Amino acid sequence: MNAKAGSLPLPEIDIEEFRKVVRTRRSIRRFTDEPIPEAVLEDCLELATLAPNSSNLQPWEFFVVRTPELKAKLAHACLGQNAAKTAAALIVVVARPDSWRAHARQALEDWPEEKLPPIVEKYYRKVAPIHYNQGPLGILGLVKKAAGLAVGMTRPVPRGPYSNCEMKIWATKSTALAAQNLMLALRAHGYDSCPMEGFDEHRVKKLINLPGKGLVTMVLAAGRRAENGVYNRQYRFDQRQMVHYL
């Protein structure tokens, strides 16, 4: 296969190995006391940040908690769940709806090719500041929504984000994709995880010194699964109930 400019030849993929990673990923509730090697964690986090995301603005942060004292406090903030108490590491996965402006500038500074395409420069310097900026008290968002409704009567237009609330959803969607990459990467390395939504967000944010606009998407418990780490057999609803071919 011929590689396009700036890309590498695509490697052969073993679908069975990928299927094994996906099918054996479980939400593990108890872990052994085996630590996760530094190199493994770093690789998994790098793979997490390769997730697709809106406009490559990468609206996420990961706080890796391994020190015993802080981990114990964080486990308490996670309502004392077994997954949190026994994990080798707790990773707070954070969405940042407020980072888009700085990341738009950084996207231009870090452009990996010698020549910056004019369309890319235009997008980050002119389009993004309009598209993601909601203005004081959300006024600009309301103006954009009205304009979108008017123009959308005659042709397709982007619908939002039109408010600070929608910006939170925007950031969370990309961050959740990165979290899934992280969980699959851990499984591929032979480790496991448990994405937890049961936590006191106020306490979690305070423990990691997270700015007010940051959103704790999940707290991910990670480690080597214990023999009693899986509580029940996995099952899903009938695919025909969820998948629609039109």
Side-chain angles (χ1 to χ4, degrees), residues 109-185:
E109 295 168 1
D110 293 356
W111 185 253
E113 298 172 10
E114 189 173 327
K115 186 177 180 181
L116 179 66
I119 191 172
V120 172
E121 183 170 15
K122 179 182 178 181
Y123 180 80
Y124 287 115
R125 292 197 190 282
K126 297 182 179 180
V127 177
I130 295 174
H131 187 62
Y132 296 110
N133 188 9
Q134 306 308 317
L137 302 177
I139 293 174
L140 181 55
L142 293 174
V143 172
K144 291 188 295 181
K145 185 174 184 178
L149 289 172
V151 177
M153 295 178 67
T154 58
R155 62 182 176 85
V157 294
R159 307 282 180 150
Y162 291 142
S163 67
N164 291 327
C165 182
E166 290 182 14
M167 284 296 293
K168 294 177 181 179
I169 297 171
W170 166 82
T172 299
K173 287 191 291 186
S174 288
T175 303
L177 291 172
Q180 180 70 9
N181 265 25
L182 177 55
M183 287 183 277
L184 293 178

Side-chain angles (χ1 to χ4, degrees), residues 178-199:
Q180 180 70 9
N181 265 25
L182 177 55
M183 287 183 277
L184 293 178
L186 284 163
R187 179 82 286 274
H189 274 285
Y191 294 89
D192 285 285
S193 61
C194 181
M196 296 178 290
E197 289 188 296
F199 53 81

Side-chain angles (χ1 to χ4, degrees), residues 17-26 180 184 187 234:
E17 290 301 309
F18 177 70
R19 186 175 283 114
K20 279 162 52 178
V21 169
V22 174
R23 289 193 177 277
T24 61
R25 186 219 59 80
R26 297 295 306 275
Q180 180 70 9
L184 293 178
R187 179 82 286 274
Q234 187 181 61

Side-chain angles (χ1 to χ4, degrees), residues 28-81:
I28 302 302
R29 308 298 177 174
R30 295 180 186 274
F31 298 91
T32 71
D33 57 2
E34 177 184 335
I36 304 174
E38 185 81 23
V40 170
L41 264 179
E42 288 182 359
D43 185 55
C44 291
L45 289 163
E46 180 187 359
L47 292 171
T49 61
L50 294 179
N53 62 96
S54 182
S55 298
N56 200 29
L57 290 174
Q58 305 169 55
W60 50 51
E61 287 186 299
F62 302 88
F63 295 79
V64 183
V65 178
R66 291 185 295 177
T67 54
E69 183 179 358
L70 184 55
K71 192 157 73 71
K73 291 179 180 178
L74 184 55
H76 179 66
C78 292
L79 313 182
Q81 296 182 59

